[in-house]
Amino acid sequence: MQQLTDAIREDYHKQRLMDTIQWERFPDRTAVKNILAQLHEMIFFQVAETKLDEKIPKVYAELYSQLAKVCPKEQVDALCKAFLNRIPAVRAMVETDLQAAFDGDPAATGFDEIVLAYPGIYAITVYRLAHELYLLNVPLIPRMMTESAHSTTGIDIHPGATIGSHFFIDHGTGIVVGQTTIIGDHVKLYQGVTLGGLSTRGGQSLAGAKRHPTIEDGVTLYAGATILGGETVIGKDCVIGANAFVTRSIPANTTVIMKSPELLLRSREEL
């Protein structure tokens, strides 16, 4: 056992790339998840006014402690207050998402079911919260928030994406929305949709460039559709069929479908 311990200790002295990371200065995953849980409660479950007087300072304190690890100390107070000041605006946007989910899914029995049982509305809500921190140039924490939702729902929305109102994700498993994606209002995505980059071979040289598509108002993307490229624009009110692979712009009011493969039907008696 001592030999194993010595081997690992010796490897620590090689100063590998992961050993240069100052982990003690990083946000705590558990703390970030706890902040998310409290924010989720504030978004959907109207907190009694007396309890709100207690909850806001608590959320502020926990958020402050995590932001202080990644932001200049003199900015942390202002960042916390600026973020919490955006909660009413986030609630207003999430309300449109909730309405879109109810209007777009005949299986929905009510808003309560959507909030409690639909992974899409949870992932969108976390994104909208994380996006506000992203716009404040807070490092790490927005991505940790959306990755927490990703691990829970299977829906991967980068906090840097720009998403309009009435956004509906149905089912949701396997959806990917890249960092520079722009999505308009009243857009609907089904499971397995990818809004990604056409090529990432450029690596860090592509940082800051528009790499992901633009989806205009009223577009529906069915299951498994893949839309790639920063110059790709899916025009207003388009419908992109299941499993379509699109790498060029599509004009408004267009339906894109994959040509059906030939189906071979045989009776069981022939086999």
Side-chain angles (χ1 to χ4, degrees), residues 207-220:
K210 178 78 165 67
R211 308 183 304 281
H212 306 98
T214 296
I215 312 298
E216 295 187 343
D217 297 350
V219 171
T220 297

Side-chain angles (χ1 to χ4, degrees), residues 16-266:
R16 300 187 186 279
L17 290 176
M18 67 279 283
D19 298 327
T20 64
I21 300 173
Q22 297 178 352
W23 294 107
E24 68 277 3
R25 296 189 64 249
F26 282 10
D28 179 79
R29 285 193 179 97
T30 301
V32 171
K33 288 182 179 180
N34 185 52
I35 291 168
L36 266 181
Q38 294 184 71
L39 291 170
H40 189 266
E41 181 181 354
M42 289 167 61
I43 295 294
F44 288 110
F45 307 106
Q46 187 175 2
V47 180
E49 292 187 17
T50 53
K51 289 187 177 181
L52 196 59
D53 291 334
E54 301 172 3
K55 180 168 286 293
I56 294 297
K58 182 180 180 181
V59 173
Y60 170 89
E62 293 189 14
L63 186 61
Y64 188 103
S65 69
Q66 298 308 307
L67 262 60
K69 297 180 180 181
V70 294
C71 298
K73 195 169 184 179
E74 66 274 10
Q75 297 179 12
V76 176
D77 176 68
L79 288 170
C80 287
K81 289 176 179 176
F83 171 71
L84 292 173
N85 193 51
R86 292 293 297 166
I87 295 298
V90 171
R91 295 189 78 233
M93 285 295 282
V94 171
E95 181 180 34
T96 72
D97 304 325
L98 193 60
Q99 188 67 57
F102 183 75
D103 292 342
D105 186 4
T109 60
F111 295 149
D112 53 352
E113 180 188 21
I114 294 169
V115 172
L116 295 172
Y118 279 44
I121 198 68
Y122 178 75
I124 294 168
T125 301
V126 172
Y127 153 78
R128 295 211 184 276
L129 290 164
H131 184 64
E132 294 298 330
L133 287 173
Y134 183 91
L135 293 177
L136 291 170
N137 295 315
V138 172
L140 289 177
I141 293 175
R143 192 67 187 275
M144 292 174 69
M145 293 169 75
T146 55
E147 283 304 315
S148 175
H150 181 196
S151 66
T152 301
T153 66
I155 299 168
D156 182 3
I157 308 176
H158 194 285
T162 301
I163 301 177
S165 70
H166 298 84
F167 184 45
F168 178 34
I169 291 177
D170 201 356
H171 306 298
T173 305
I175 283 177
V176 176
V177 179
Q179 179 186 23
T180 62
T181 301
I182 298 174
I183 297 176
D185 300 333
H186 296 277
V187 171
K188 180 189 293 188
L189 273 57
Y190 285 85
Q191 67 272 18
V193 166
T194 297
L195 304 178
L198 187 58
S199 174
T200 58
R201 291 182 180 179
Q204 286 296 318
S205 67
L206 297 174
K210 178 78 165 67
R211 308 183 304 281
H212 306 98
T214 296
I215 312 298
E216 295 187 343
D217 297 350
V219 171
T220 297
L221 304 176
Y222 281 100
T226 298
I227 318 295
L228 304 179
E231 297 182 0
T232 302
V233 178
I234 306 301
K236 184 177 180 181
D237 295 324
C238 281
V239 174
I240 309 299
N243 299 316
F245 187 86
V246 180
T247 58
R248 63 181 179 86
S249 294
I250 304 297
N253 298 295
T254 301
T255 297
V256 177
I257 57 174
M258 295 293 289
K259 185 177 180 180
S260 296
E262 183 180 1
L263 298 179
L264 299 177
L265 305 180
R266 296 178 180 176

